[in-house]
Amino acid sequence: TGVINADGYLFGNTTNFYDLYGVYVKVKGDLIIAGMWFHPGPLTILWDGTTNIGTATANSTHGFFNVTVQVPITQKGLHDVVIDDGKIIFLFKIYVIPTLILVPDEGRVGTLVTAYGYGFPAPTTDYVYNATLWWYNVDCNGTSKAVAWALTNTNGQFTTTFTVPHTIGGTHDV
Protein backbone atom coordinates (compact mmCIF):
# COMPACT_ATOMS: atom_id res chain seq x y z
CA THR A 1 0.00 0.00 0.00
CA GLY A 2 3.04 2.27 -0.11
CA VAL A 3 3.37 2.91 3.63
CA ILE A 4 6.73 4.64 4.04
CA ASN A 5 8.11 6.13 7.23
CA ALA A 6 8.71 9.87 7.43
CA ASP A 7 12.31 11.16 7.38
CA GLY A 8 14.01 10.59 10.70
CA TYR A 9 11.33 8.16 11.94
CA LEU A 10 12.04 4.47 12.37
CA PHE A 11 9.51 1.70 12.90
CA GLY A 12 10.30 -0.32 16.00
CA ASN A 13 10.15 -3.99 16.81
CA THR A 14 6.54 -5.29 17.00
CA THR A 15 5.16 -2.38 14.94
CA ASN A 16 1.52 -3.09 14.10
CA PHE A 17 0.97 -1.70 10.58
CA TYR A 18 -2.71 -2.64 10.73
CA ASP A 19 -3.43 -0.44 13.75
CA LEU A 20 -1.14 2.41 12.61
CA TYR A 21 -1.99 2.59 8.91
CA GLY A 22 -4.74 0.06 8.18
CA VAL A 23 -2.34 -2.04 6.08
CA TYR A 24 -4.08 -5.10 4.67
CA VAL A 25 -2.55 -7.88 2.60
CA LYS A 26 -4.13 -10.56 0.45
CA VAL A 27 -3.33 -14.26 0.51
CA LYS A 28 -0.82 -14.95 -2.31
CA GLY A 29 -0.29 -11.19 -2.66
CA ASP A 30 3.10 -9.47 -2.85
CA LEU A 31 4.54 -7.95 0.30
CA ILE A 32 7.46 -5.56 -0.27
CA ILE A 33 9.76 -5.27 2.73
CA ALA A 34 12.65 -2.81 2.98
CA GLY A 35 14.84 -2.28 6.00
CA MET A 36 18.00 -0.64 7.28
CA TRP A 37 20.49 -1.08 10.11
CA PHE A 38 20.47 -4.88 10.02
CA HIS A 39 23.70 -6.83 10.43
CA PRO A 40 25.28 -7.24 6.98
CA GLY A 41 24.64 -10.59 5.35
CA PRO A 42 21.78 -13.03 4.85
CA LEU A 43 18.31 -12.47 6.32
CA THR A 44 15.46 -14.93 6.69
CA ILE A 45 11.84 -13.76 6.42
CA LEU A 46 9.39 -15.87 8.45
CA TRP A 47 5.59 -15.88 8.53
CA ASP A 48 4.21 -16.19 12.06
CA GLY A 49 7.74 -17.02 13.21
CA THR A 50 7.84 -20.46 11.61
CA THR A 51 7.16 -20.52 7.85
CA ASN A 52 10.04 -19.32 5.64
CA ILE A 53 8.60 -16.98 3.00
CA GLY A 54 11.85 -15.54 1.66
CA THR A 55 15.41 -14.41 2.10
CA ALA A 56 17.35 -11.23 1.49
CA THR A 57 20.85 -9.87 1.98
CA ALA A 58 21.53 -6.76 4.06
CA ASN A 59 24.34 -4.70 2.50
CA SER A 60 27.49 -3.74 4.35
CA THR A 61 26.96 0.02 4.00
CA HIS A 62 23.84 0.56 6.12
CA GLY A 63 22.48 -2.96 6.56
CA PHE A 64 19.88 -2.10 3.89
CA PHE A 65 17.75 -4.66 2.07
CA ASN A 66 14.67 -4.65 -0.14
CA VAL A 67 12.76 -7.85 -0.95
CA THR A 68 9.35 -8.91 -2.28
CA VAL A 69 7.77 -11.99 -0.69
CA GLN A 70 4.43 -13.70 -1.24
CA VAL A 71 1.85 -13.87 1.56
CA PRO A 72 1.27 -17.58 2.23
CA ILE A 73 -2.09 -19.34 2.31
CA THR A 74 -3.36 -18.49 5.78
CA GLN A 75 -6.43 -17.47 7.75
CA LYS A 76 -7.66 -13.89 7.99
CA GLY A 77 -6.49 -11.73 10.85
CA LEU A 78 -3.34 -10.30 12.38
CA HIS A 79 -0.08 -12.13 11.57
CA ASP A 80 3.59 -11.67 12.42
CA VAL A 81 6.35 -11.18 9.87
CA VAL A 82 9.77 -11.90 11.36
CA ILE A 83 13.11 -10.75 9.93
CA ASP A 84 16.01 -12.74 11.36
CA ASP A 85 19.58 -11.69 10.52
CA GLY A 86 21.13 -14.36 12.76
CA LYS A 87 21.88 -11.88 15.55
CA ILE A 88 18.60 -10.04 16.05
CA ILE A 89 14.97 -10.77 15.28
CA PHE A 90 12.73 -7.94 14.10
CA LEU A 91 8.97 -8.48 14.05
CA PHE A 92 6.08 -6.51 12.57
CA LYS A 93 2.36 -7.21 12.28
CA ILE A 94 0.04 -7.05 9.28
CA TYR A 95 -3.59 -7.99 8.70
CA VAL A 96 -4.66 -10.60 6.15
CA ILE A 97 -8.02 -10.01 4.47
CA PRO A 98 -10.18 -12.65 2.81
CA THR A 99 -9.00 -13.21 -0.75
CA LEU A 100 -10.88 -14.47 -3.80
CA ILE A 101 -8.91 -15.62 -6.85
CA LEU A 102 -10.81 -16.37 -10.07
CA VAL A 103 -9.29 -18.59 -12.78
CA PRO A 104 -9.65 -17.42 -15.47
CA ASP A 105 -10.22 -13.84 -14.36
CA GLU A 106 -11.94 -12.86 -17.60
CA GLY A 107 -14.00 -14.59 -20.25
CA ARG A 108 -17.13 -14.65 -22.35
CA VAL A 109 -20.61 -15.68 -21.29
CA GLY A 110 -20.54 -19.44 -20.65
CA THR A 111 -16.88 -19.53 -19.48
CA LEU A 112 -16.31 -21.97 -16.59
CA VAL A 113 -14.56 -20.18 -13.72
CA THR A 114 -12.91 -21.77 -10.69
CA ALA A 115 -13.09 -19.62 -7.55
CA TYR A 116 -10.44 -20.09 -4.84
CA GLY A 117 -11.20 -18.49 -1.49
CA TYR A 118 -8.53 -17.95 1.16
CA GLY A 119 -8.54 -16.29 4.57
CA PHE A 120 -12.24 -16.74 5.28
CA PRO A 121 -13.63 -17.83 8.66
CA ALA A 122 -13.08 -21.51 9.43
CA PRO A 123 -15.98 -23.57 10.76
CA THR A 124 -16.26 -24.05 14.51
CA THR A 125 -18.21 -26.51 16.62
CA ASP A 126 -21.03 -23.94 16.68
CA TYR A 127 -20.90 -22.48 13.17
CA VAL A 128 -20.41 -23.62 9.58
CA TYR A 129 -19.45 -20.84 7.17
CA ASN A 130 -20.95 -20.60 3.71
CA ALA A 131 -19.31 -18.39 1.09
CA THR A 132 -21.80 -17.22 -1.55
CA LEU A 133 -20.44 -15.74 -4.78
CA TRP A 134 -22.52 -13.03 -6.40
CA TRP A 135 -22.22 -11.75 -9.97
CA TYR A 136 -22.96 -8.04 -9.92
CA ASN A 137 -24.62 -6.07 -12.71
CA VAL A 138 -26.14 -8.95 -14.65
CA ASP A 139 -28.25 -6.38 -16.53
CA CYS A 140 -28.40 -2.62 -17.05
CA ASN A 141 -30.52 -2.27 -13.88
CA GLY A 142 -27.64 -3.40 -11.64
CA THR A 143 -29.31 -6.71 -10.75
CA SER A 144 -27.12 -9.24 -8.92
CA LYS A 145 -27.20 -13.02 -9.19
CA ALA A 146 -25.84 -15.74 -6.90
CA VAL A 147 -23.59 -17.89 -9.11
CA ALA A 148 -22.03 -20.34 -6.60
CA TRP A 149 -21.57 -21.19 -2.95
CA ALA A 150 -19.22 -23.33 -0.91
CA LEU A 151 -18.50 -24.22 2.69
CA THR A 152 -15.14 -23.16 4.07
CA ASN A 153 -12.78 -25.87 5.33
CA THR A 154 -10.88 -25.94 8.62
CA ASN A 155 -8.31 -23.51 7.17
CA GLY A 156 -10.95 -21.00 6.03
CA GLN A 157 -10.52 -21.97 2.38
CA PHE A 158 -12.94 -23.04 -0.33
CA THR A 159 -12.94 -23.95 -4.01
CA THR A 160 -16.00 -23.85 -6.23
CA THR A 161 -16.88 -23.29 -9.87
CA PHE A 162 -19.44 -21.23 -11.73
CA THR A 163 -20.29 -20.34 -15.31
CA VAL A 164 -20.20 -16.71 -16.44
CA PRO A 165 -23.92 -15.86 -16.69
CA HIS A 166 -25.69 -14.25 -19.61
CA THR A 167 -24.90 -10.63 -18.90
CA ILE A 168 -24.07 -7.22 -20.31
CA GLY A 169 -20.51 -6.69 -21.58
CA GLY A 170 -17.74 -5.08 -19.59
CA THR A 171 -16.15 -5.53 -16.20
CA HIS A 172 -18.16 -7.20 -13.43
CA ASP A 173 -17.54 -7.66 -9.73
CA VAL A 174 -17.80 -11.10 -8.14
Side-chain angles (χ1 to χ4, degrees), residues 19 46 57 64 105 131 144 159:
D19 285 343
L46 302 171
T57 302
F64 175 80
D105 62 358
S144 301
T159 302

Side-chain angles (χ1 to χ4, degrees), residues 127-141:
Y127 297 100
V128 176
Y129 291 96
N130 173 21
T132 303
L133 276 62
W134 291 85
W135 185 275
Y136 287 96
N137 298 325
V138 174
D139 57 28
C140 294
N141 297 324

Side-chain angles (χ1 to χ4, degrees), residues 21 30 38 40-41 53 69 85 91 100 107 112 128 138-139 154 159:
Y21 298 101
D30 286 340
F38 284 83
I53 59 171
V69 296
D85 71 6
L91 176 143
L100 179 65
L112 182 65
V128 176
V138 174
D139 57 28
T154 56
T159 302

